Amino acid sequence: MIEVIEDIIGINEAGLVCHPYKYLRGEKKGLFSYTFENDNTTFKVVTEDALRKMIEAGMFNERGRIFMLPAGSVNVKHNGALRVKRYKDELLPVRVL
């Protein structure tokens, strides 16, 4: 079963609601993947707690993408690196505390 963070939302090109997902295998197993670069090769891994802290600190307000899946996905075939649009039911940018 794919574990996602439901209160972090991105929207893919098809207009589907997507969520960050926890990798199931390999060196990224149990972690989430993000980047602040414009390419698709410089992704870093992070825990859920650290990812939330980065969003709450405003690090995804202007840039950055997280690998996400459409809601209800049963495999990672349709994953994509997306901008965060909503966090805890609030539109980004989040107010930095």
Side-chain angles (χ1 to χ4, degrees), residues 52-59 61 87-88 90 93-97:
R52 288 182 179 280
K53 287 178 182 175
M54 292 167 68
I55 294 169
E56 291 167 1
M59 294 177 72
N61 284 353
Y87 178 65
K88 294 185 176 181
E90 298 291 327
V94 295
R95 288 181 277 146
V96 180
L97 301 175

Side-chain angles (χ1 to χ4, degrees), residues 49-82:
D49 186 52
L51 183 62
R52 288 182 179 280
K53 287 178 182 175
M54 292 167 68
I55 294 169
E56 291 167 1
M59 294 177 72
F60 286 91
N61 284 353
E62 301 293 324
R63 57 186 233 176
R65 296 172 295 138
I66 302 170
F67 262 110
M68 298 189 196
L69 289 171
S73 291
V74 294
N75 61 48
V76 296
K77 185 184 277 188
H78 299 290
N79 71 350
L82 303 173

Side-chain angles (χ1 to χ4, degrees), residues 17-67:
V17 170
C18 298
H19 306 288
Y21 67 95
K22 190 180 282 188
Y23 281 78
L24 297 172
R25 56 180 71 107
E27 63 185 37
K28 295 181 180 181
K29 183 177 181 179
L31 300 170
F32 299 88
S33 185
Y34 75 96
T35 186
F36 290 115
E37 304 300 326
N38 290 328
D39 60 39
N40 282 329
T41 59
T42 56
F43 285 85
K44 298 178 181 178
V45 294
V46 67
T47 64
E48 179 178 346
D49 186 52
L51 183 62
R52 288 182 179 280
K53 287 178 182 175
M54 292 167 68
I55 294 169
E56 291 167 1
M59 294 177 72
F60 286 91
N61 284 353
E62 301 293 324
R63 57 186 233 176
R65 296 172 295 138
I66 302 170
F67 262 110

